[in-house]
Amino acid sequence: MTSTGTSGLPSDDVLAAIRSHICARPYEVEPGRFIRCQSRRTAVCPSCAGLYRGDWQRIARSGIYDADGHPLVGYRYFFITLSAPSFGSVHLVPKWERDAGKRCKCGQTHGHDDVHLRGLPIDQDSYRYEDQVRWHGALGRLWKSAATAMRRLCPGAEYYAVRELQSRMALHVHAVVRVPARTAVDAEAMGHAARMATATHPVTGEVVEWGKRGVQDREIRARITESDDVTPDMSRAAARIISYVSKCLAYSTKDITPGERDETATPERVEFVKRMRQAARLGVRCVDCPRGGPSDCPRRAHDNLGYGGHVVTVSRPTDQREGWSLSHLTRKRLREERAAWMEANRPADVGGGLSDGDVRLAEWLAEQAARRAREAWSTREHARAP
């Protein structure tokens, strides 16, 4: 079974298998040797986006479980949600049963079948697109102010925060906050302190604040439970935290350009996103914008609805604080561990940089893809038979 050409470089079949199953757009750093693209977007590279989510899931667990998989004792956990203020009326489409039957400002009562309208402005012409983009530009400062407010209320608070995009194309923050068990503070007080925090926009100097609706502040007790379907070292509550964080990460790494990769997007949603992107690229300046304006600025915020920060942030350890991860786990450390493992388990290089294990894996994946294609074709042919 040949995997390289006469030049010693990988064959087209091997490279196709790598792009299909290992990395969608690997970078060739030297002839025949590739590295991952490390994209965080599922639409760009599902494999690298999955690796990114997996790293953050491990970091999330390291602040909830100990090394043996038991929920940490001596702590309490709050789930805090912080959302953006309103920038215009949007269609109210019920997502939960408690919202069913509520009348939308458009004059109608929407049902679950109207999900395509959720988050869309009632009047697209009067919606404040640039205000929303500017709010995104100050979100980093606003979250920092909120974290300071929570620590002012509880000095021992540590957090794990995920930014998720709402259907109205506005970011909101889901934060898991860990506090010492003996702290005399509850989730409502912690959420109120964070929500009352304000910040100033880095360019305009205007005051930005959190929205006051959609409040979801609650305590999640990570306790050990004894039952038939839950192992003693896994509490239901702690497992829910990890599950919801994983869900938020999955949403955060999705592509947010309906119409280009989402064939189910309606023309109204495509137009809404188009106007949001135009406001971010052409209408709102950032701190690094040149004289020519945002259209000539290379900062990624202009291609990301005004937000140029990270999807996930965690509190870091200092001399006075323990940080979120009690094992001091970071993405850099996880990358180093993977690199060390690969180096220790790598066979002799063949094919100009691809190891024998890489080549065999890629060829096996290609064979499996071909087998699935044959089975799918056979199934269709049998279905057509009289």
Side-chain angles (χ1 to χ4, degrees), residues 305-328:
L305 305 181
Y307 180 68
H310 295 286
V311 173
V312 187
T313 54
V314 297
S315 52
R316 302 293 184 182
T318 65
D319 293 339
Q320 293 79 30
R321 303 184 185 280
E322 57 190 0
W324 168 262
S325 175
L326 297 182
S327 58
H328 304 303

Side-chain angles (χ1 to χ4, degrees), residues 74-90:
Y75 297 99
R76 295 159 61 203
Y77 295 86
F78 302 143
F79 192 84
I80 309 296
T81 298
L82 304 171
S83 60
S86 174
F87 300 102
S89 298
V90 298

